[in-house]
Amino acid sequence: QYSLVGNPYPSAMDALAYIHDTENSAVITGTLFYWEQNPNINSHYLSDYDGGYATYTISSGGVPSYTPATFSTYNNDGTINGSGSGSPSGKEPRRYIPIGQGFMVEGIATGTVKAKNVHRAYIKETNADSEFFKSSNTKTSKKIETKKEFPRVPDDFKRFRLNIDFNNAYTRQLLENFHPTASKGFDYGLETKINDPDTFALNSDAYFSNDNVAYLTQALAFNEALNIPMVIQLDQNMSVRIRIADIQNFDENQPIYIHDIEKDLYVNLKHQDFDINLEAGQYTNRFQVTFRSKALNVSEHTFDGLQIFQNNTSSELNITNPKLLDIKALRLYDVSGKEILSKSISETKKNYAYPTKSLSNGIYIARIELSNQLGYSKKIVVSNKG
């Protein structure tokens, strides 16, 4: 069961000491869950809540692993968030827990999780390694930049993060840790598992799967022959995009593929995003992360030559298709994820043009869908003159 606890002291509390206290490690999974509410929503009605849980754990050696709250996929300036936190505020969990900060823990045994005097630390909230999950209109809060670097891991670790975007509405971020000491089982302080994904997960969500256990953060010993299963579950037909958010200590020439097992398709995420339109359902055996391609023709160059660009001089959205790919549809979304244009395409041509004079000035996401269900998306800026 999940229980609401927190820091009861008039000083910060060290998450490392709290998580690795021998009494606590016997009764909890070692992950702290921080609720973050969209700061633009001013309501106490549950039906109006727009938020999610950020997760945080830390190894005994002090290596932190967190995933951001999941309820947005855009930065404050309207661009898709490719780095930093996935929440509108840009907040992230950190090692030192501020005064009065509440969080959830998941129990694994009957017992008591304890906050102790020995867990306390003299760290100010303004310290770079401490942050309070509250609204940003108080005197004690500090400004959080929307884009920032992820915490660096030691040289003996490898790490990557994936952003999985659902219908341009929100992003689930997954974290994969690699270390020679990581086991095939659960590694306390390095992994965040969800023992009941049906309860914890969103209606449309994604997670790594290991022996039928769901992980938001997973740890393994790196091997190029690894296949890492990924489960995607959807409550309705929608577009799904998988992209790299962060890579650390990987060889520059080491690919990171998404393998669509059903189509035997490999896409190197270091070169391009993986876009696909999927029907509602749970995909448990279709997608995996791999580091070697068994395909004779790797599909990372599928979209070479395909371009989408906005011509504001002529008020047109232009598509160039020199390889005569079988394009089936063009869709346009505003920054809230609302579909504002949908065009079926029946004729294969090298060039397409669509008027944008009727659109409001702003940032949009243009998405092309191919006959094989793969998609290609790009941000455009509409600026109509006059």
Side-chain angles (χ1 to χ4, degrees):
Q1 293 184 346
Y2 291 93
S3 299
L4 177 63
V5 293
N7 177 8
Y9 297 110
S11 65
M13 195 165 67
D14 187 349
L16 189 154
Y18 179 87
I19 289 171
H20 289 276
D21 183 287
T22 54
E23 288 188 87
N24 290 343
S25 62
V27 294
I28 62 173
T29 62
T31 293
L32 315 183
F33 297 85
Y34 293 91
W35 173 262
E36 184 178 1
Q37 174 79 359
N38 186 335
N40 298 316
I41 302 297
N42 296 310
S43 173
H44 291 293
Y45 290 103
L46 287 174
S47 60
D48 294 334
Y49 274 20
D50 181 21
Y53 283 100
T55 72
Y56 181 91
T57 190
I58 187 169
S59 72
S60 58
V63 177
S65 296
Y66 76 86
T67 60
T70 300
F71 57 96
S72 176
T73 193
Y74 295 100
N75 290 320
N76 290 333
D77 62 358
T79 60
I80 296 177
N81 65 318
S83 61
S85 172
S87 66
S89 68
K91 294 180 179 179
E92 66 184 54
R94 301 175 191 269
R95 174 172 173 173
Y96 295 100
I97 306 167
I99 300 167
Q101 175 68 64
F103 52 90
M104 303 283 283
V105 292
E106 184 182 10
I108 56 173
T110 301
T112 303
V113 61
K114 299 178 180 178
K116 301 178 181 178
N117 196 59
V118 293
H119 302 158
R120 297 173 66 180
Y122 181 70
I123 299 291
K124 294 184 178 181
E125 188 182 325
T126 52
N127 186 282
D129 211 7
S130 178
E131 186 164 339
F132 200 97
F133 271 60
K134 60 184 176 184
S135 58
S136 57
N137 57 356
T138 63
K139 294 180 180 180
T140 58
S141 63
K142 59 182 183 293
K143 182 179 178 181
I144 304 299
E145 297 298 330
T146 302
K147 291 190 176 183
K148 51 184 173 292
E149 293 293 324
F150 288 100
R152 302 300 302 178
V153 294
D155 291 343
D156 57 338
F157 277 81
K158 296 180 188 291
R159 165 179 286 185
F160 68 79
R161 295 174 187 267
L162 296 183
N163 280 351
I164 297 92
D165 305 325
F166 294 90
N167 226 22
N168 289 311
Y170 60 86
T171 299
R172 165 67 76 188
Q173 187 175 104
L174 303 178
L175 172 59
E176 188 71 53
N177 288 315
F178 296 99
H179 193 265
T181 62
S183 70
K184 292 183 179 180
F186 178 68
D187 294 295
Y188 188 89
L190 275 178
E191 297 184 303
T192 293
K193 64 179 178 179
I194 306 302
N195 289 316
D196 187 4
D198 291 336
T199 299
F200 184 88
L202 305 170
N203 291 334
S204 294
D205 213 338
Y207 50 84
F208 292 128
S209 179
N210 185 0
D211 289 335
N212 296 317
V213 178
Y215 288 83
L216 299 182
T217 298
Q218 186 175 230
L220 296 167
F222 182 75
N223 186 320
E224 284 189 5
L226 277 173
N227 295 320
I228 304 171
M230 177 191 295
V231 174
I232 296 177
Q233 60 184 41
L234 306 176
D235 67 341
Q236 58 183 297
N237 300 353
M238 67 174 65
S239 63
V240 176
R241 178 189 303 114
I242 302 174
R243 54 197 168 98
I244 289 282
D246 179 50
I247 304 176
Q248 296 186 32
N249 298 338
F250 268 79
D251 186 276
E252 185 177 347
N253 298 318
Q254 174 63 63
I256 300 176
Y257 294 107
I258 282 292
H259 180 203
D260 183 337
I261 298 170
E262 181 178 300
K263 297 182 178 298
D264 198 23
L265 174 72
Y266 291 80
V267 173
N268 187 352
L269 295 175
K270 294 175 77 173
H271 292 171
Q272 70 176 71
D273 299 340
F274 176 80
D275 270 279
I276 192 168
N277 231 27
L278 294 171
E279 296 181 353
Q282 187 174 55
Y283 298 84
T284 56
N285 299 305
R286 178 165 175 177
F287 301 104
Q288 60 184 2
V289 177
T290 67
F291 306 97
R292 294 195 303 211
S293 169
K294 296 178 182 178
L296 293 177
N297 54 337
V298 178
S299 298
E300 63 194 45
H301 301 300
T302 296
F303 300 106
D304 279 1
L306 185 67
Q307 292 187 23
I308 306 173
F309 60 94
Q310 172 65 18
N311 187 335
N312 284 314
T313 302
S314 60
S315 296
E316 287 183 332
L317 174 65
N318 296 110
I319 301 171
T320 60
N321 182 25
K323 290 188 175 182
L324 295 176
L325 300 177
D326 191 7
I327 299 174
K328 289 302 183 184
L330 167 68
R331 304 185 192 279
L332 201 64
Y333 302 89
D334 64 16
V335 293
S336 70
K338 179 182 178 182
E339 183 179 271
I340 59 170
L341 176 69
S342 179
K343 293 282 187 181
S344 295
I345 300 175
S346 57
E347 183 182 0
T348 299
K349 301 190 299 184
K350 289 188 176 182
N351 296 284
Y352 302 85
Y354 298 92
T356 57
K357 188 69 175 177
S358 62
L359 298 178
S360 301
N361 290 347
I363 297 171
Y364 297 87
I365 304 298
R367 174 181 169 80
I368 290 174
E369 295 174 2
L370 304 185
S371 59
N372 61 4
Q373 292 187 304
L374 285 177
Y376 176 81
S377 300
K378 186 177 180 180
K379 180 185 74 176
I380 64 167
V381 179
V382 174
S383 180
N384 293 313
K385 308 300 180 184

